[in-house]
């Protein structure tokens, strides 16, 4: 009985998924191509040099419009991150202006401190909308928030292969997705055509061009490289303790395997008189 219920659930699940897939395909947004990421999989770790490059791209390009309000400057010097020293993180903080209140109660600005978060580059949403046509979303968890449906049968496979890098793949694709609009496409004013943005109408002008940011480590100064680096940085920003989480996860699995063995032999011993 239970077996049959489980089976019908499984059939319903698979059928439902298969029916849902064509709906997404009909929207006309292609799936972002997959990239190789050092942080993918249960053993994945961040590439420090890549995080530093990604931070440089954020600092010089994206931070003009996007905040990362859940990330503090001191996170930059914590283990598992881009590997800056505490002094370097403090220097970065001091380059940002943080809104504050002075002793007489008036609003003022002061240089950032390590405990401050990456500030908003605009006073309020209305101002941002006026300047940029839309509010640039905060980047704290953008790499996790922006995913896409891979559809059947991929999502089943993804559970096995532990594929979770939808977010960074989407960000890379979005940076590459600026194209000439098709002739019959109605593009509103002050908007841009992007192949990978749902609906294709995005208010953000293509933020990256080749040669815009210079890297000290000899990595190519191309949009392709920039977009991978900024995507990796945003994955770290969304989960600064990912490496620790994966390490603890592995330790727990090892512990459970050893514990299962011990329990098995204990059971054998306890029941030996009965058998
Ligand atoms: C000139 C301002 C500006 C700059 C610079 C900028 N953005 Fe944006 N960004 C925007 C605006 C405005 C939106 C909202 C677009 C919309 O909703 O149509 C946006 C949206 C986004 C989104 C969300 C797309 C979605 O799915 O909703 C991503 C991802 C993004 N930007 C990445 C970046 C990255 C990476 C950089 C730096 C390389 C960057 N942006 C630089 C203004 C900017």
């Amino acid at each position: 009985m239970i077996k049959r219920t489980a089976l019908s659930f499984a059939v319903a699940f698979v059928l439902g998924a298969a029916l849902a897939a064509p709906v997404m395909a009909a929207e006309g947004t292609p799936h972002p191509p997959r990239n190789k990421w050092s942080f993918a999989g249960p053993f994945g770790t961040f590439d420090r040099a890549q995080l530093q490059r990604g931070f440089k791209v954020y600092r010089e390009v994206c931070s003009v419009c996007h905040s990362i309000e859940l990330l503090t400057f001191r996170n930059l010097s914590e283990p598992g991150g881009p590997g800056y020293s505490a002094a370097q993180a403090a220097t970065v903080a001091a380059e940002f202006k943080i809104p504050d209140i002075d002793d007489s109660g008036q609003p003022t600005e002061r240089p950032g401190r390590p405990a401050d978060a990456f500030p908003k580059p605009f006073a309020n949403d209305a101002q941002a909308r006026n300047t940029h046509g839309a509010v640039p979303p905060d980047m704290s968890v953008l790499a996790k928030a922006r995913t896409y449906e891979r559809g059947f049968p991929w999502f089943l496979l993804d559970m096995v292969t532990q594929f979770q890098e939808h977010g960074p793949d989407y960000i890379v694709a979005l940076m590459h997705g600026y194209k000439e609009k098709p002739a019959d496409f109605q593009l509103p004013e002050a908007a841009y055509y992007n192949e990978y943005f749902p609906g294709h109408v995005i208010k953000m002008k293509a933020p990256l061009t080749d040669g815009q940011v210079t890297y000290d480590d000899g990595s190519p100064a191309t949009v392709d490289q920039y977009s991978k680096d900024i995507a990796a940085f945003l994955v770290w920003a969304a989960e600064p303790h990912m490496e620790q989480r994966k390490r603890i996860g592995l330790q727990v699995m090892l512990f459970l395997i050893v514990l299962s063995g011990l329990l098995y032999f204990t059971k054998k011993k306890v029941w030996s008189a009965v058998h």
Side-chain angles (χ1 to χ4, degrees):
M1 181 62 203
I2 292 178
K3 239 187 191 164
R4 198 180 292 168
T5 322
L7 191 71
S8 50
F9 262 117
V11 168
F13 184 62
V14 169
L15 272 183
L19 289 177
V23 178
M24 284 158 335
E27 275 174 22
T29 314
H31 281 174
R34 279 184 66 171
N35 296 286
K36 262 187 106 76
W37 298 108
S38 67
F39 47 81
F43 303 100
T45 53
F46 289 114
D47 172 352
R48 315 265 161 249
Q50 181 169 51
L51 292 187
Q52 295 201 2
R53 291 196 302 270
F55 176 59
K56 195 159 197 246
V57 175
Y58 172 72
R59 180 77 190 87
E60 292 180 17
V61 187
C62 322
S63 69
V64 175
C65 300
H66 292 274
S67 55
I68 313 186
E69 288 190 303
L70 297 180
L71 193 73
T72 60
F73 295 107
R74 67 167 173 227
N75 289 138
L76 292 172
S77 61
E78 281 174 355
Y84 290 112
S85 68
Q88 282 171 316
T91 312
V92 171
E95 289 167 6
F96 281 81
K97 293 254 172 299
I98 308 291
D100 205 348
I101 307 283
D102 69 10
D103 291 342
S104 61
Q106 294 306 308
T108 175
E109 280 188 338
R110 58 169 174 80
R113 298 191 279 255
D116 288 318
F118 283 81
K120 257 199 188 125
F122 42 84
N124 50 55
D125 286 3
Q127 191 211 7
R129 211 172 288 116
N130 267 324
T131 322
H132 304 301
V135 183
D138 182 76
M139 284 185 153
S140 304
V141 291
L142 205 57
K144 287 199 177 250
R146 292 296 188 272
T147 61
Y148 58 94
E149 302 279 342
R150 297 235 298 154
F152 181 79
W154 294 110
F155 77 97
L156 290 178
L157 219 89
D158 293 347
M159 280 188 232
V160 181
T161 58
Q162 303 224 328
F163 172 67
Q164 294 173 352
E165 286 68 44
H166 307 70
D169 282 348
Y170 168 70
I171 292 172
V172 171
L174 190 73
M175 298 290 117
H176 283 289
Y178 290 91
K179 298 255 157 74
E180 275 296 313
K181 73 173 184 71
D184 55 348
F185 191 88
Q186 292 286 334
L187 196 63
E189 232 175 278
Y192 307 88
Y193 185 84
N194 191 306
E195 200 183 353
Y196 292 101
F197 190 66
H200 303 307
V201 180
I202 190 165
K203 293 288 175 67
M204 171 170 71
K205 198 173 160 197
L208 294 166
T209 48
D210 285 344
Q212 192 177 9
V213 179
T214 26
Y215 286 146
D216 331 314
D217 66 355
S219 300
T222 56
V223 171
D224 190 48
Q225 187 68 40
Y226 297 154
S227 50
K228 285 180 184 147
D229 294 345
I230 182 67
F233 175 75
L234 291 178
V235 170
W236 170 75
E239 197 182 355
H241 300 136
M242 184 208 77
E243 291 187 0
Q244 195 188 7
R245 170 172 68 79
K246 290 190 174 172
R247 201 168 45 241
I248 292 176
L250 280 175
Q251 287 164 354
V252 169
M253 293 312 280
L254 270 177
F255 169 79
L256 287 177
I257 290 169
V258 172
L259 184 71
S260 314
L262 290 177
L263 285 177
Y264 172 72
F265 287 114
T266 311
K267 182 247 167 209
K268 265 187 100 152
K269 171 114 192 147
V270 169
W271 286 77
S272 59
V274 181
H275 286 312

